Protein backbone atom coordinates (compact mmCIF):
# COMPACT_ATOMS: atom_id res chain seq x y z
CA UNK A 1 0.00 0.00 0.00
CA UNK A 2 1.69 3.17 -1.27
CA UNK A 3 0.40 5.95 0.98
CA UNK A 4 2.10 9.29 1.53
CA UNK A 5 3.20 9.72 5.13
CA UNK A 6 4.43 12.99 6.61
CA UNK A 7 6.96 13.29 9.43
CA UNK A 8 6.15 15.66 12.27
CA UNK A 9 7.94 17.04 15.34
CA UNK A 10 6.09 18.89 18.06
CA UNK A 11 7.89 21.03 20.63
CA UNK A 12 5.68 20.97 23.71
CA UNK A 13 7.96 23.16 25.81
CA UNK A 14 8.82 20.43 28.31
CA UNK A 15 9.58 17.76 25.68
CA UNK A 16 9.71 17.23 21.92
CA UNK A 17 7.66 14.47 20.32
CA UNK A 18 8.02 12.93 16.86
CA UNK A 19 5.49 11.10 14.76
CA UNK A 20 3.79 10.43 11.46
CA UNK A 21 0.79 12.12 9.86
CA UNK A 22 -1.73 10.28 7.70
CA UNK A 23 -4.85 11.37 5.84
CA UNK A 24 -6.35 14.56 4.41
CA UNK A 25 -5.82 17.92 6.09
CA UNK A 26 -9.59 18.39 6.45
CA UNK A 27 -10.12 14.95 7.99
CA UNK A 28 -11.48 14.34 11.48
CA UNK A 29 -8.58 15.08 13.91
CA UNK A 30 -7.20 11.91 15.52
CA UNK A 31 -4.21 11.39 17.80
CA UNK A 32 -2.95 7.79 17.71
CA UNK A 33 -1.10 6.35 20.70
CA UNK A 34 0.92 3.14 20.50
CA UNK A 35 1.63 0.48 23.11
CA UNK A 36 4.42 0.04 25.64
CA UNK A 37 7.91 -0.06 24.02
CA UNK A 38 6.38 0.36 20.55
CA UNK A 39 6.34 3.53 18.42
CA UNK A 40 4.34 5.39 15.78
CA UNK A 41 4.95 2.62 13.25
CA UNK A 42 2.47 0.57 15.27
CA UNK A 43 -0.11 2.25 13.00
CA UNK A 44 1.82 1.89 9.72
CA UNK A 45 -0.59 -0.74 8.42
CA UNK A 46 -3.81 0.48 10.00
CA UNK A 47 -3.73 4.26 9.49
CA UNK A 48 -3.61 4.19 5.66
CA UNK A 49 -6.77 2.06 5.68
CA UNK A 50 -8.78 4.52 7.79
CA UNK A 51 -10.88 6.94 5.74
CA UNK A 52 -11.82 10.54 6.45
CA UNK A 53 -9.34 10.96 9.31
CA UNK A 54 -6.35 13.25 9.87
CA UNK A 55 -4.23 10.96 12.02
CA UNK A 56 -1.18 12.10 13.97
CA UNK A 57 0.53 8.92 15.20
CA UNK A 58 2.98 9.96 17.89
CA UNK A 59 6.08 8.36 19.31
CA UNK A 60 5.18 8.82 22.96
CA UNK A 61 7.81 10.22 25.30
CA UNK A 62 10.74 7.84 25.71
CA UNK A 63 9.82 5.89 22.57
CA UNK A 64 10.93 6.00 18.95
CA UNK A 65 12.31 9.34 17.80
CA UNK A 66 10.71 11.36 20.62
CA UNK A 67 12.80 12.76 23.44
CA UNK A 68 13.28 10.96 26.72
CA UNK A 69 12.10 12.63 29.90
CA UNK A 70 14.81 14.53 31.82
CA UNK A 71 16.85 12.89 34.60
CA UNK A 72 14.79 12.29 37.72
CA UNK A 73 11.48 12.24 35.85
CA UNK A 74 9.29 9.22 35.26
CA UNK A 75 6.62 7.94 32.90
CA UNK A 76 3.36 8.18 34.81
CA UNK A 77 0.10 7.82 32.90
CA UNK A 78 -0.91 11.36 33.87
CA UNK A 79 2.30 12.72 32.32
CA UNK A 80 1.48 11.03 29.01
CA UNK A 81 -2.02 12.50 29.13
CA UNK A 82 -0.55 15.96 29.63
CA UNK A 83 1.75 15.42 26.65
CA UNK A 84 -1.24 14.59 24.46
CA UNK A 85 -3.18 17.71 25.48
CA UNK A 86 -0.12 19.86 24.77
CA UNK A 87 0.33 18.12 21.40
CA UNK A 88 -3.30 18.86 20.50
CA UNK A 89 -2.71 22.53 21.31
CA UNK A 90 0.35 22.57 19.05
CA UNK A 91 -1.79 21.08 16.28
CA UNK A 92 -4.53 23.65 16.86
CA UNK A 93 -7.05 20.95 17.78
CA UNK A 94 -9.55 21.96 20.46
CA UNK A 95 -11.45 18.69 20.02
CA UNK A 96 -10.03 15.44 18.67
CA UNK A 97 -10.48 11.68 18.63
CA UNK A 98 -8.11 9.20 20.24
CA UNK A 99 -6.97 5.93 18.67
CA UNK A 100 -5.04 3.83 21.17
CA UNK A 101 -3.44 0.41 21.33
CA UNK A 102 -2.62 -1.28 24.66
CA UNK A 103 -0.85 1.36 26.81
CA UNK A 104 -2.07 3.96 24.31
CA UNK A 105 -5.63 2.75 24.84
CA UNK A 106 -5.25 3.03 28.62
CA UNK A 107 -4.00 6.62 28.31
CA UNK A 108 -6.82 7.39 25.87
CA UNK A 109 -9.48 6.22 28.30
CA UNK A 110 -8.02 8.23 31.16
CA UNK A 111 -7.71 11.40 29.08
CA UNK A 112 -11.23 11.06 27.66
CA UNK A 113 -12.56 10.64 31.20
CA UNK A 114 -10.56 13.54 32.63
CA UNK A 115 -11.29 16.05 29.85
CA UNK A 116 -14.50 14.82 28.20
CA UNK A 117 -15.01 18.15 26.44
CA UNK A 118 -11.82 17.62 24.44
CA UNK A 119 -12.30 14.06 23.12
CA UNK A 120 -14.84 13.33 20.38
CA UNK A 121 -14.33 9.58 19.82
CA UNK A 122 -12.47 6.74 21.50
CA UNK A 123 -11.17 3.92 19.29
CA UNK A 124 -9.35 1.29 21.36
CA UNK A 125 -7.33 -1.80 20.38
CA UNK A 126 -6.90 -4.50 23.04
CA UNK A 127 -6.41 -2.08 25.91
CA UNK A 128 -8.64 -0.40 28.48
CA UNK A 129 -7.44 0.03 32.08
CA UNK A 130 -3.98 -0.21 33.66
CA UNK A 131 -2.94 -3.12 35.88
CA UNK A 132 -4.63 -2.48 39.20
CA UNK A 133 -3.55 -3.04 42.80
CA UNK A 134 -4.93 -3.45 46.29
CA UNK A 135 -4.83 -0.65 48.84
CA UNK A 136 -2.92 -2.72 51.37
CA UNK A 137 -0.08 -3.35 48.88
CA UNK A 138 0.72 0.32 48.23
CA UNK A 139 3.78 0.62 50.50
CA UNK A 140 5.30 -2.65 49.29
CA UNK A 141 4.86 -1.60 45.67
CA UNK A 142 6.53 1.76 46.27
CA UNK A 143 9.47 0.03 47.93
CA UNK A 144 9.84 -2.38 45.01
CA UNK A 145 9.77 0.51 42.53
CA UNK A 146 12.35 2.54 44.46
CA UNK A 147 14.74 -0.41 44.67
CA UNK A 148 14.39 -1.07 40.94
CA UNK A 149 15.02 2.61 40.19
CA UNK A 150 18.22 2.56 42.27
CA UNK A 151 19.47 -0.52 40.40
CA UNK A 152 18.87 1.01 36.99
CA UNK A 153 22.22 2.87 36.95
CA UNK A 154 24.10 -0.44 36.87
CA UNK A 155 22.07 -1.92 34.00
CA UNK A 156 23.09 -1.72 30.35
CA UNK A 157 20.90 -2.06 27.29
CA UNK A 158 21.26 -5.09 25.07
CA UNK A 159 23.41 -4.52 21.99
CA UNK A 160 22.76 -6.60 18.87
CA UNK A 161 25.51 -7.09 16.32
CA UNK A 162 23.02 -6.82 13.45
CA UNK A 163 19.65 -5.17 12.96
CA UNK A 164 18.15 -8.58 12.25
CA UNK A 165 19.13 -9.78 15.72
CA UNK A 166 17.33 -6.77 17.19
CA UNK A 167 14.26 -7.61 15.12
CA UNK A 168 14.34 -11.22 16.32
CA UNK A 169 14.59 -10.05 19.93
CA UNK A 170 11.46 -7.91 19.45
CA UNK A 171 9.63 -10.85 17.88
CA UNK A 172 10.22 -12.82 21.09
CA UNK A 173 9.47 -9.96 23.48
CA UNK A 174 7.04 -10.01 26.41
CA UNK A 175 4.28 -9.73 23.79
CA UNK A 176 5.38 -11.59 20.67
CA UNK A 177 4.84 -10.01 17.25
CA UNK A 178 5.28 -11.17 13.67
CA UNK A 179 8.56 -10.59 11.85
CA UNK A 180 6.94 -7.94 9.63
CA UNK A 181 5.58 -6.13 12.69
CA UNK A 182 8.98 -6.25 14.40
CA UNK A 183 10.66 -4.91 11.27
CA UNK A 184 8.23 -1.98 11.13
CA UNK A 185 8.80 -1.18 14.80
CA UNK A 186 12.57 -1.47 14.29
CA UNK A 187 12.50 1.25 11.63
CA UNK A 188 11.81 3.82 14.36
CA UNK A 189 13.05 1.83 17.32
CA UNK A 190 16.57 0.57 16.57
CA UNK A 191 19.58 2.88 16.57
CA UNK A 192 23.29 2.31 15.82
CA UNK A 193 25.56 2.17 18.87
CA UNK A 194 29.09 1.04 19.53
CA UNK A 195 29.22 -2.65 18.68
CA UNK A 196 25.96 -2.81 16.75
CA UNK A 197 22.38 -1.74 17.39
CA UNK A 198 20.18 -1.08 20.40
CA UNK A 199 16.57 -0.09 20.96
CA UNK A 200 16.01 3.66 21.42
CA UNK A 201 13.40 3.37 24.16
CA UNK A 202 14.23 4.84 27.56
CA UNK A 203 15.34 2.17 30.03
CA UNK A 204 13.12 3.81 32.67
CA UNK A 205 10.09 2.52 30.75
CA UNK A 206 10.83 -0.95 32.13
CA UNK A 207 10.64 0.16 35.76
CA UNK A 208 7.66 -1.02 37.82
CA UNK A 209 5.03 1.57 38.59
CA UNK A 210 5.42 3.05 42.09
CA UNK A 211 1.64 3.09 42.56
CA UNK A 212 -1.40 1.50 41.00
CA UNK A 213 -5.05 2.46 40.88
CA UNK A 214 -7.51 0.17 42.57
CA UNK A 215 -9.97 -1.65 40.32
CA UNK A 216 -12.71 0.75 41.47
CA UNK A 217 -10.61 3.80 40.57
CA UNK A 218 -9.74 2.42 37.16
CA UNK A 219 -13.36 1.61 36.35
CA UNK A 220 -14.44 5.06 37.52
CA UNK A 221 -12.43 6.45 34.59
CA UNK A 222 -14.24 4.15 32.17
CA UNK A 223 -17.65 5.18 33.47
CA UNK A 224 -16.73 8.86 33.18
CA UNK A 225 -16.11 8.69 29.42
CA UNK A 226 -18.81 10.70 27.64
CA UNK A 227 -17.89 10.26 23.97
CA UNK A 228 -18.73 7.29 21.71
CA UNK A 229 -16.27 4.43 22.13
CA UNK A 230 -15.36 1.30 20.22
CA UNK A 231 -13.12 -1.42 21.64
CA UNK A 232 -11.51 -4.05 19.42
CA UNK A 233 -10.77 -7.15 21.49
CA UNK A 234 -8.11 -9.48 20.06
CA UNK A 235 -9.36 -13.06 20.35
CA UNK A 236 -5.87 -14.23 21.33
CA UNK A 237 -4.94 -11.00 23.08
CA UNK A 238 -4.88 -9.64 26.62
CA UNK A 239 -8.52 -8.66 27.16
CA UNK A 240 -10.35 -11.68 25.74
CA UNK A 241 -9.90 -13.71 28.92
CA UNK A 242 -11.25 -10.90 31.13
CA UNK A 243 -14.93 -11.48 30.45
CA UNK A 244 -15.99 -10.02 33.78
CA UNK A 245 -14.33 -6.72 32.88
CA UNK A 246 -15.72 -6.63 29.34
CA UNK A 247 -19.27 -7.14 30.59
CA UNK A 248 -19.07 -3.83 32.50
CA UNK A 249 -18.14 -1.61 29.57
CA UNK A 250 -20.38 1.08 28.06
CA UNK A 251 -18.50 0.89 24.73
CA UNK A 252 -19.25 -0.92 21.52
CA UNK A 253 -17.12 -4.09 21.46
CA UNK A 254 -15.92 -6.16 18.53
CA UNK A 255 -13.86 -9.34 18.93
CA UNK A 256 -11.54 -10.04 16.00
CA UNK A 257 -9.17 -12.97 15.31
CA UNK A 258 -5.53 -12.39 16.11
CA UNK A 259 -3.13 -11.53 18.90
CA UNK A 260 -2.45 -8.37 20.87
CA UNK A 261 -0.87 -6.63 17.84
CA UNK A 262 -3.54 -7.79 15.37
CA UNK A 263 -3.58 -4.35 13.69
CA UNK A 264 0.15 -4.61 12.90
CA UNK A 265 1.03 -8.30 12.61
CA UNK A 266 -0.40 -8.83 9.12
CA UNK A 267 -2.48 -7.24 6.37
CA UNK A 268 -5.59 -9.25 7.20
CA UNK A 269 -5.66 -8.07 10.80
CA UNK A 270 -5.10 -4.46 9.78
CA UNK A 271 -7.97 -4.70 7.29
CA UNK A 272 -10.37 -6.18 9.85
CA UNK A 273 -9.57 -3.49 12.42
CA UNK A 274 -9.85 -0.78 9.75
CA UNK A 275 -13.26 -2.05 8.64
CA UNK A 276 -14.44 -1.88 12.26
CA UNK A 277 -13.17 1.65 12.86
CA UNK A 278 -14.33 2.98 9.49
CA UNK A 279 -17.84 1.94 10.49
CA UNK A 280 -17.40 3.46 13.94
CA UNK A 281 -16.23 6.83 12.58
CA UNK A 282 -18.97 6.80 9.93
CA UNK A 283 -16.71 6.42 6.90
CA UNK A 284 -17.51 2.82 5.95
Amino acid sequence: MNIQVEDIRLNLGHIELAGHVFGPEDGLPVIALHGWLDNANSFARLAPRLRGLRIVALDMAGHGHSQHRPPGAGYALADYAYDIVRAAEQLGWERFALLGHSLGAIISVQLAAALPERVSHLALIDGLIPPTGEEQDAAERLGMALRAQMRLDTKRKSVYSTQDQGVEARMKGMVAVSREAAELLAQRGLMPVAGGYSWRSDSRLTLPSPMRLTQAQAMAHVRHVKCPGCLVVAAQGMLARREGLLEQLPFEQVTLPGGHHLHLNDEQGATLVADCFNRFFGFA
Side-chain angles (χ1 to χ4, degrees):
M1 180 174 287
N2 186 17
I3 300 292
Q4 185 175 359
V5 180
E6 304 171 33
D7 289 321
I8 190 172
R9 293 199 71 85
L10 299 173
N11 189 335
L12 309 185
H14 64 290
I15 199 166
E16 189 173 271
L17 302 184
H20 282 159
V21 183
F22 303 85
E25 291 187 11
D26 61 350
L28 178 74
V30 179
I31 296 177
L33 306 176
H34 58 78
W36 179 62
L37 298 181
D38 291 342
N39 55 58
N41 263 8
S42 178
F43 300 101
R45 277 184 156 145
L46 175 62
R49 290 174 161 82
L50 297 176
R51 296 188 285 273
L53 307 180
R54 180 67 165 177
I55 301 172
V56 174
L58 294 173
D59 293 332
M60 292 195 293
H63 297 77
H65 289 282
S66 288
Q67 287 183 337
H68 295 184
R69 298 211 189 278
Y75 288 90
L77 295 175
D79 295 325
Y80 284 123
Y82 177 67
D83 293 342
I84 305 317
V85 175
R86 291 299 299 266
E89 291 180 349
Q90 288 292 308
L91 294 164
W93 292 352
E94 178 63 27
R95 192 164 166 82
F96 50 91
L98 289 168
L99 165 60
H101 170 242
S102 194
L103 171 63
I106 293 168
I107 297 164
S108 296
V109 169
Q110 293 199 345
L111 179 54
L115 298 177
E117 72 279 5
R118 300 296 300 271
V119 181
S120 65
H121 300 76
L122 207 51
L124 310 174
I125 305 171
D126 216 44
L128 183 69
I129 62 173
T132 57
E134 301 296 331
E135 296 175 5
Q136 64 269 22
D137 298 331
E140 183 179 355
R141 167 155 288 278
L142 176 58
M144 176 184 65
L146 290 172
R147 285 188 287 270
Q149 190 173 5
M150 294 298 291
R151 291 193 300 267
L152 192 63
D153 290 342
T154 63
K155 290 188 175 182
R156 295 293 177 265
K157 281 188 175 183
S158 298
V159 176
Y160 308 99
S161 57
T162 66
Q163 292 188 47
D164 193 59
Q165 288 182 1
V167 167
E168 290 180 358
R170 182 61 188 87
M171 290 171 62
K172 302 170 185 175
M174 185 178 297
V175 180
V177 298
S178 69
R179 172 170 289 276
E180 290 182 351
E183 289 173 345
L184 284 167
L185 294 173
Q187 290 176 12
R188 295 183 72 81
L190 279 179
M191 64 179 180
V193 296
Y197 298 86
S198 187
W199 287 91
R200 296 178 184 273
S201 52
D202 192 333
S203 297
R204 288 173 291 178
L205 293 168
T206 64
L207 291 173
S209 171
M211 61 182 64
R212 285 183 171 176
L213 299 178
T214 64
Q215 181 80 6
Q217 289 173 320
M219 291 307 297
H221 284 83
V222 173
R223 289 191 292 271
H224 207 263
V225 172
K226 306 301 182 186
C227 66
C230 180
L231 170 64
V232 167
V233 177
Q236 289 78 48
M238 294 183 172
L239 287 180
R241 53 184 176 268
R242 302 189 65 183
E243 294 183 4
L245 172 63
L246 296 177
E247 291 172 355
Q248 303 178 51
L249 303 184
F251 310 138
E252 174 188 348
Q253 296 178 46
V254 180
T255 299
L256 296 177
H260 186 56
H261 286 77
L262 74 167
H263 64 299
L264 180 64
N265 276 331
D266 54 50
E267 299 291 332
Q268 180 182 6
T271 298
L272 290 174
V273 176
D275 289 345
C276 175
F277 286 156
N278 280 327
R279 289 192 299 271
F280 171 64
F281 282 108
F283 296 108

